[in-house]
Amino acid sequence: MATELTPHGLREIADGFRERHRPGEVRALMVAGSGIRLDLPGWQAGEEIALADVFPFQLHGLIGHRQTMTLWRRGTQTILAMNGRLHLYQGYSPAEVVAPVRLAGLLGAGLMLATNASGALDPAIPPGSLVVVSDHLNLQGANPLVGDWGRSFGPPFPDMSEAYDPGLRRLAVEAAAEAGFAVREGVYAAVLGPSFETPAEVRMLGRMGGAVVGMSTVPEVIAARQMGMKVLVLSLATNPGAGLIDRPLSHEEVLEAGAAAAQRLRVLLGLLVQRLFDA
Ligand code: HPA
């Protein structure tokens, strides 16, 4: 295993991964956010691999987040699924946060399907709503393409005008309608966290055009887009943003609402994988 996370080291990690796990044709990377478990009809959950056995950096634990990836297999094809994700607020560098995305890209994945948990910036988005992300506001003060990384995996100034693939968004809206769920599209405002927003920040983010706010996903989307991967992000609005209701927010509440709505999200992801990969 490479001993350092560098662009060259990551290529070695991808080569080693290919040899050790024989993933065949890697169709997609799936990234599941807080409290979301996957169920992919027609695919078998294969090896669950500890990220610590793949990447040469220190991992940090957080309740509700596991640090593994599962190889979902169907014949010679694989979907790589991150069980939980790495966040900037945990102290990971941007390059560490997106290392799984770049690994998937190097293994040939052309698609990233990600979910996350978010707070609603609009009182018209009730807890448990699913939002198909149409665009983002990167307010994390970080970008995974800074430095050597920006020169190593694609264009140094990648276009972000259709970062969230319009065709995939349409597919998600249609699949949700078919399954009987209401979804809406909206802009994901990404902040560093880990403190929740103040009421003034929630008002600001709403006026800036955000529909939901969260602490993840945007670095992964930027890295995926640089590598030419198509991106779909589904955000589960677990709570109203601070100040939209008159009591404080808790991490437990976020996890609970995530669990309650996770079933719908699981069904939707299963439908999407069928639509995308079943001939
Ligand atoms: N703010 C930021 N991130 C979040 C929230 C929130 O209200 N809920 C879930 N993730």
Side-chain angles (χ1 to χ4, degrees):
M1 180 165 97
T3 52
E4 231 191 312
L5 188 68
T6 61
H8 177 72
L10 202 50
R11 287 177 202 282
E12 287 182 353
I13 289 168
D15 290 342
F17 191 97
R18 221 181 269 114
E19 258 171 50
R20 192 184 316 177
H21 300 293
R22 307 260 167 225
E25 186 189 355
V26 177
R27 302 299 304 263
L29 170 68
M30 299 191 70
V31 185
S34 308
I36 293 156
R37 290 281 170 275
L38 291 176
D39 177 20
L40 307 180
W43 296 73
Q44 280 79 46
E47 311 95 288
E48 183 169 353
I49 301 164
L51 297 191
D53 293 337
V54 178
F55 297 114
F57 53 84
Q58 177 71 43
L59 293 158
H60 314 283
L62 178 72
I63 298 157
H65 300 275
R66 290 189 299 155
Q67 272 109 15
T68 63
M69 61 171 90
T70 300
L71 300 193
W72 288 78
R73 308 238 188 205
R74 187 179 68 178
T76 58
Q77 303 179 38
T78 295
I79 294 175
L80 258 181
M82 287 283 293
N83 304 308
R85 57 156 60 79
L86 311 178
H87 300 84
L88 292 170
Y89 67 71
Q90 291 171 281
Y92 293 108
S93 70
E96 289 169 350
V97 168
V98 305
V101 178
R102 287 181 169 138
L103 172 63
L106 289 170
L107 293 173
L111 178 65
M112 179 174 84
L113 292 178
T115 72
N116 62 40
S118 58
L121 295 169
D122 176 347
I125 302 178
S129 302
L130 285 181
V131 175
V132 177
V133 175
S134 58
D135 205 343
H136 72 226
L137 295 165
N138 180 8
L139 303 168
Q140 296 192 307
N143 190 300
L145 310 188
V146 168
D148 282 348
W149 294 100
R151 292 185 287 276
S152 305
F153 293 94
F157 302 103
D159 176 53
M160 293 292 285
S161 52
E162 286 193 336
Y164 299 82
D165 187 76
L168 292 175
R169 281 156 49 197
R170 214 172 309 120
L171 192 68
V173 171
E174 286 167 8
E178 201 173 303
F181 316 146
V183 292
R184 51 163 285 170
E185 291 203 274
V187 172
Y188 178 85
V191 296
L192 179 60
S195 50
F196 284 115
E197 299 67 44
T198 64
E201 287 165 345
V202 165
R203 289 194 298 275
M204 172 188 76
L205 295 169
R207 283 179 196 154
M208 288 167 90
V212 290
V213 55
M215 305 171 188
S216 71
T217 314
V218 160
E220 291 106 301
V221 171
I222 294 171
R225 290 304 300 146
Q226 187 196 31
M227 295 185 84
M229 297 165 74
K230 287 188 177 181
V231 168
L232 177 67
V233 177
L234 303 173
S235 188
L236 179 54
T238 54
N239 58 276
L244 296 186
I245 52 162
D246 57 5
R247 57 190 176 74
L249 298 177
S250 77
H251 186 60
E252 288 68 32
E253 186 180 11
V254 170
L255 292 180
E256 265 170 42
Q263 180 57 22
R264 278 179 303 139
L265 190 49
R266 198 165 26 229
V267 169
L268 182 53
L269 288 170
L271 273 176
L272 283 169
V273 164
Q274 284 175 317
R275 292 284 184 294
L276 286 165
F277 304 127
D278 288 2

